Amino acid sequence: MTVTTPKIVQQWFKYARNDLNMAKASLELSSSYKNISAFHSQQCAEKAVKGYLAFKKIRFHKTHNMTELLDLVNSVDAKLAKNISKAKTLTIYAVIYRYPDAERKPMTVAKAKAAFKIADHVLNMCIEALKA
């Protein structure tokens, strides 16, 4: 991102980076925080995609649904949408693993680490797409 990147876009990416850092720190602190890590990984990917959409001046509504957001990305950059398509798997972490009565299958450290890896990829690809 450059100085000419609109402030709102910069903020989306700043928040996405903060969520990615929190996802990583949560796992490093204790495996007990795997649910929190997965949530922040989802939030990172969501905010990175919303930052990209804001940069492209594509309107979006409040949603945690990564499929909906990726459909919007696809409307302007099919290659990017395909490259970050694994982000769809993160949608479930926006709500399900945040509340004890919503969790159906236990979160694992492996799932949390996989979510982090996807989020990191999404963030990096969205930032690269701004440069294209």
Side-chain angles (χ1 to χ4, degrees), residues 18 21-22 52 59 67-68 78 90:
N18 288 346
N21 290 339
M22 184 55 74
Y52 172 79
R59 296 183 72 127
T67 300
E68 287 180 29
L90 301 178

Side-chain angles (χ1 to χ4, degrees), residues 53-64:
L53 292 171
F55 181 78
K56 291 294 188 174
K57 297 180 174 44
I58 303 295
R59 296 183 72 127
F60 53 87
H61 65 278
K62 290 185 179 186
T63 184
H64 298 301

